Amino acid sequence: MTCTPSPPIITLLTDFGTQDAYVGALKGALLTHCPHALLVDLSHDIPPQDVAAAAFVLWSGSRWFPPGTFHLPVVDPGVGTARRILVATLDGHHFIAPDNGLLTWVLRGAHDRSTYALRCTPNQLAASSDTFQARDLMAAALARWARGIPPPTAPLSEPPVELQLAQAERCGEVLAGTVIHLDRFGNCITNITRAACERLAAGGPLKVIIGSKEIRGLRRAYGEAAPGELLALINSVDLLEIAVAEDSAAIKLGLTPGTPVQVRSLK
Amino acid sequence: MTCTPSPPIITLLTDFGTQDAYVGALKGALLTHCPHALLVDLSHDIPPQDVAAAAFVLWSGSRWFPPGTFHLPVVDPGVGTARRILVATLDGHHFIAPDNGLLTWVLRGAHDRSTYALRCTPNQLAASSDTFQARDLMAAALARWARGIPPPTAPLSEPPVELQLAQAERCGEVLAGTVIHLDRFGNCITNITRAACERLAAGGPLKVIIGSKEIRGLRRAYGEAAPGELLALINSVDLLEIAVAEDSAAIKLGLTPGTPVQVRSLK
Amino acid sequence: MTCTPSPPIITLLTDFGTQDAYVGALKGALLTHCPHALLVDLSHDIPPQDVAAAAFVLWSGSRWFPPGTFHLPVVDPGVGTARRILVATLDGHHFIAPDNGLLTWVLRGAHDRSTYALRCTPNQLAASSDTFQARDLMAAALARWARGIPPPTAPLSEPPVELQLAQAERCGEVLAGTVIHLDRFGNCITNITRAACERLAAGGPLKVIIGSKEIRGLRRAYGEAAPGELLALINSVDLLEIAVAEDSAAIKLGLTPGTPVQVRSLK
């Protein structure tokens, strides 16, 4: 159709919400420095300051973009303090982000990684807002990178900050994990992986225990259960998920992040 | 300004909400297969699983795009089951969508239509997530189509699923319809068309009856009524609408989809 | 990377919300007339009919885009009445907007300005929806402008409508202003400028009084305060802001637009 090269893709993920001008300002700064960028919103509805939620959404969303994509995740309660700004390339994806754990999930999933600190001159720091460095420092650096000018970096004296993520564990014949994310539908995503489930039962049937409920067997799809029925399945990012068909498992069962979940063989 | 061809336009309409990574994943998949596409959100705030609301929003939004636009509407409670995936070209607009009634309004409005089933190989089905076929099957097929590679299709053994839409009816000198959609402003859109109103009164004045309220005459614009005043008008998609100037008719009158509405000549 | 000219940027700012088809229809109309435009959402979550909120968001967002950007702000309770449609170029930014005060903040901030009325033919008016002139008149005119065809204009017989904005005032050694905007985080933005604060204390320390609270000294960044601590700072658009670190000042202090704020020298 066209023989011009594709525009560079830049994704945005923030806790800015959509009622104010912050997202617009960020996009204005990006387009000032890279006018032909293709801007894509991952989400701006991360709960305020919820770095853990953003880290999960960043991992589950960014991975579907082609290598060479640029990502600007910004949940940044430490803006203007001594917290570093990271410059990372992970499996061919480029990130500039505050060093507060936002990259935890993508770092753990990456095979090839290089991480640096963004180097800012005193003049750049003085000219930037202490409350909106994403607009004045990160967007400019990322957009110039998207235009082909790599950001100035310094080696990291310490590794990137990582969140302490609750890990699912296997104890004998039991997989013990927790709910880690509630989605818009009220589906409850856990930290128990498809691979762990398959190892537990060698492909045999499983049961899932959550609170006083026991779910016998995994479904393939929501529509295999009757509307209103509780079910468990392996979801689209290969994690165990508890759902209620055409309804909210989070509301119906009162589940929140941190709720314990167990998986056992159905024998 | 530029002599390169315009990028293909792809619109998205989902019930995914904007707090999770689902919309981002969908866009990543689209851009992986068509890196120069121009992606446009119609809405991601369709109530969960509300195929009827999505069908109306798809019709009222998609028609303003130029012919040749590609549309990806996804409200898909039956994902992963035997429900078909439709491939349709309607008056020059291209759609890939689950076959669950989502296309009802656009099918009824179309003069030229061709509809097929998307043909997926067993390998494609096995490699795709059973809970997110929009990302793994539909987005890939639509994006390749936008790049010029038509999707593999099969004839439909049965016509596309259509929703049973409540139809306005004329009984003698009365037009009887219902509220079908509440918008963000609390305006109540009905299934009574401009044409039906004009035929009823031969262009003469009308009255609208809703609950215990009678609205005498149609206004042209919201601003012709005083703030807080109840009014009726023909809206921007040529349907009769009940509104309260600078306020919410839905809240002030307790209206919901399904509320009966009558139109009579004012004599 | 590419030698084709950058696509024209068009920003959108509305009170349409994101659940209906209105934003999609507007974008469809824009792309019909300028298929290669780069569309950017400033916000669609302005409270319904809140021209004042939109005027502030337009100013604080649009200024970060490069000169030559086109802006379509639409909060338009008077649509279809005699209210004029403005065509303005302010410091190199192009605007088409209803003449109801939406441009108040950008007009006041502009050094170079030219303002006209959009001239519509009787045929254009008859063919457009009286309830959605943004889609049928403004989008078409702005998109054609973005393609290089200036809109037909007429001189303004009267200057553009401007909102009466509450102004901060200096009374002796006191700066008296008000809260003008609550953001997503519950931060309370005032109409007291950085320059006014600096003049008051000649760069010396300040205190901020709001209700029964006194905040001693300004912080540079949110993260300089402990989580939950009340603080004041100069924000990213150079206005005094009251915040609670990692929490909502609006909720914790019960602040709303209009709440009085005083600044005094800390001596």
Side-chain angles (χ1 to χ4, degrees):
Chain A
M1 305 286 280
T2 170
C3 51
T4 50
S6 299
I9 301 169
I10 301 178
T11 82
L12 297 95
L13 173 67
T14 77
D15 63 348
F16 294 172
T18 51
Q19 75 200 53
D20 301 303
Y22 303 126
V23 172
L26 203 56
K27 292 185 176 178
L30 288 165
L31 293 172
T32 296
H33 292 279
C34 185
H36 61 294
L38 197 162
L39 306 181
V40 181
D41 301 306
L42 291 188
S43 173
H44 300 294
D45 291 333
I46 300 296
Q49 288 101 29
D50 192 339
V51 173
F56 176 74
V57 170
L58 180 63
W59 170 77
S60 46
S62 63
R63 58 208 303 236
W64 305 99
F65 286 80
T69 297
F70 296 84
H71 303 282
L72 184 57
V74 185
V75 175
D76 193 11
V79 58
T81 67
R83 70 97 186 74
R84 301 176 299 190
I85 297 172
L86 292 178
V87 175
T89 296
L90 309 174
D91 291 343
H93 288 249
H94 309 296
F95 298 83
I96 293 187
D99 181 24
N100 60 13
L102 260 180
L103 300 189
T104 304
W105 278 80
V106 288
L107 280 166
R108 294 196 185 177
H111 297 100
D112 294 314
R113 58 172 93 174
S114 67
T115 55
Y116 299 92
L118 182 67
R119 195 156 41 78
C120 299
T121 66
N123 278 351
Q124 286 172 323
L125 285 167
S128 75
S129 165
D130 289 314
T131 63
F132 204 175
Q133 294 182 332
R135 182 192 70 196
D136 296 342
L137 297 176
M138 297 182 221
L142 190 75
R144 288 167 57 84
W145 198 2
R147 244 177 57 213
I149 306 162
T153 56
L156 288 171
S157 49
E158 291 169 49
V161 171
E162 291 201 32
L163 303 173
Q164 296 276 46
L165 298 182
Q167 301 287 337
E169 292 188 355
R170 170 124 178 218
C171 308
E173 293 310 300
V174 179
L175 269 174
T178 57
V179 172
I180 56 170
H181 186 77
L182 309 180
D183 77 8
R184 193 253 175 140
F185 300 96
N187 299 326
C188 299
I189 301 167
T190 76
N191 57 359
I192 299 174
T193 64
R194 174 194 297 274
C197 288
E198 289 174 352
R199 278 194 301 270
L200 182 71
L206 296 169
K207 63 182 175 189
V208 178
I209 299 122
I210 184 156
S212 62
K213 303 282 184 185
E214 186 178 296
I215 306 167
R216 297 174 67 83
L218 300 188
R219 306 297 177 107
R220 276 193 324 104
Y222 307 110
E224 290 186 347
E229 189 183 346
L230 182 66
L231 66 117
L233 48 66
I234 302 296
N235 72 10
S236 61
V237 288
D238 286 330
L239 293 173
L240 180 74
E241 180 178 305
I242 317 293
V244 170
E246 303 194 24
D247 206 330
S248 166
I251 291 175
K252 285 194 96 168
L253 276 69
L255 304 179
T256 56
T259 302
V261 180
Q262 283 193 0
V263 181
R264 294 166 182 266
S265 171
L266 190 52
K267 276 159 239 177
Chain B
M1 304 287 280
T2 171
C3 51
T4 50
S6 299
I9 302 169
I10 300 178
T11 82
L12 297 95
L13 173 68
T14 78
D15 63 347
F16 294 171
T18 52
Q19 75 199 53
D20 302 303
Y22 303 126
V23 172
L26 203 55
K27 293 185 176 178
L30 287 166
L31 293 171
T32 296
H33 292 278
C34 185
H36 61 295
L38 197 162
L39 306 181
V40 181
D41 301 307
L42 291 188
S43 173
H44 300 294
D45 291 332
I46 299 297
Q49 288 101 29
D50 192 340
V51 174
F56 176 74
V57 170
L58 179 63
W59 170 78
S60 47
S62 64
R63 57 208 303 236
W64 305 100
F65 286 79
T69 297
F70 296 84
H71 302 282
L72 184 57
V74 185
V75 175
D76 194 11
V79 59
T81 66
R83 70 95 188 76
R84 301 176 300 188
I85 296 172
L86 292 178
V87 175
T89 297
L90 309 174
D91 291 342
H93 288 249
H94 309 295
F95 298 83
I96 292 185
D99 181 24
N100 60 14
L102 259 180
L103 300 190
T104 303
W105 278 80
V106 289
L107 279 167
R108 294 195 185 178
H111 296 98
D112 294 313
R113 57 173 93 174
S114 67
T115 55
Y116 299 91
L118 182 67
R119 195 156 42 77
C120 299
T121 66
N123 278 351
Q124 286 172 325
L125 285 166
S128 74
S129 165
D130 289 314
T131 63
F132 203 175
Q133 293 182 334
R135 181 192 70 197
D136 297 342
L137 297 176
M138 297 182 222
L142 191 75
R144 288 167 58 84
W145 197 2
R147 244 178 56 215
I149 306 162
T153 56
L156 288 172
S157 50
E158 290 169 50
V161 171
E162 291 201 32
L163 302 173
Q164 296 277 47
L165 298 182
Q167 301 287 336
E169 292 188 354
R170 171 127 178 216
C171 309
E173 292 311 300
V174 179
L175 268 173
T178 57
V179 172
I180 56 170
H181 186 78
L182 308 180
D183 77 8
R184 193 254 175 139
F185 300 96
N187 299 327
C188 299
I189 300 166
T190 76
N191 56 358
I192 299 174
T193 63
R194 175 196 295 274
C197 288
E198 289 174 353
R199 278 195 301 270
L200 182 70
L206 296 169
K207 63 182 175 189
V208 177
I209 299 124
I210 185 157
S212 61
K213 303 284 186 185
E214 185 178 296
I215 306 168
R216 298 174 66 83
L218 299 188
R219 306 296 177 105
R220 277 194 322 106
Y222 306 110
E224 291 187 346
E229 190 183 345
L230 181 65
L231 66 116
L233 48 66
I234 301 297
N235 74 8
S236 61
V237 288
D238 286 330
L239 293 174
L240 179 74
E241 180 178 305
I242 316 293
V244 170
E246 303 194 24
D247 207 331
S248 167
I251 292 175
K252 285 194 96 168
L253 275 70
L255 305 179
T256 56
T259 301
V261 180
Q262 284 193 358
V263 181
R264 294 167 182 264
S265 172
L266 189 51
K267 275 159 235 174
Chain C
M1 304 288 281
T2 170
C3 51
T4 51
S6 299
I9 302 168
I10 300 178
T11 83
L12 296 94
L13 173 68
T14 77
D15 63 348
F16 294 171
T18 51
Q19 75 199 55
D20 302 303
Y22 303 126
V23 172
L26 202 56
K27 293 184 175 178
L30 288 165
L31 293 171
T32 296
H33 292 279
C34 186
H36 61 294
L38 197 164
L39 306 181
V40 181
D41 300 308
L42 292 188
S43 173
H44 299 294
D45 291 333
I46 300 297
Q49 288 101 27
D50 193 340
V51 174
F56 177 73
V57 170
L58 179 64
W59 169 79
S60 47
S62 63
R63 58 208 302 235
W64 305 99
F65 286 79
T69 298
F70 296 84
H71 302 283
L72 184 57
V74 185
V75 175
D76 194 10
V79 58
T81 66
R83 70 97 187 74
R84 300 176 300 190
I85 297 172
L86 292 177
V87 174
T89 297
L90 308 174
D91 292 343
H93 288 249
H94 308 297
F95 298 83
I96 292 186
D99 181 24
N100 59 13
L102 259 180
L103 300 189
T104 302
W105 278 80
V106 289
L107 279 166
R108 294 197 185 175
H111 297 99
D112 294 313
R113 59 174 91 173
S114 67
T115 54
Y116 299 91
L118 182 67
R119 196 156 41 79
C120 299
T121 65
N123 279 352
Q124 286 172 325
L125 284 167
S128 74
S129 165
D130 289 314
T131 63
F132 203 174
Q133 294 182 333
R135 181 193 70 197
D136 296 342
L137 298 176
M138 297 183 221
L142 191 76
R144 287 167 58 86
W145 197 2
R147 243 177 57 213
I149 306 163
T153 56
L156 288 172
S157 49
E158 290 169 49
V161 171
E162 291 201 32
L163 303 173
Q164 295 277 46
L165 298 182
Q167 301 287 336
E169 291 188 356
R170 171 122 178 221
C171 308
E173 293 310 301
V174 180
L175 268 174
T178 57
V179 171
I180 56 169
H181 186 78
L182 309 179
D183 77 7
R184 194 252 176 143
F185 300 96
N187 299 326
C188 300
I189 301 167
T190 76
N191 57 358
I192 298 173
T193 63
R194 175 196 295 274
C197 288
E198 289 174 353
R199 279 195 301 269
L200 181 72
L206 296 169
K207 65 182 174 189
V208 177
I209 299 123
I210 185 158
S212 62
K213 302 284 186 185
E214 185 178 297
I215 306 168
R216 298 174 65 83
L218 299 189
R219 305 298 177 104
R220 277 193 323 105
Y222 306 109
E224 290 187 347
E229 190 183 345
L230 182 65
L231 66 117
L233 48 66
I234 302 296
N235 73 8
S236 61
V237 288
D238 287 330
L239 293 173
L240 180 75
E241 181 177 304
I242 316 294
V244 170
E246 302 193 24
D247 207 331
S248 166
I251 292 175
K252 285 194 96 168
L253 275 70
L255 305 179
T256 56
T259 302
V261 180
Q262 284 193 0
V263 181
R264 294 167 182 265
S265 172
L266 190 52
K267 275 160 240 174

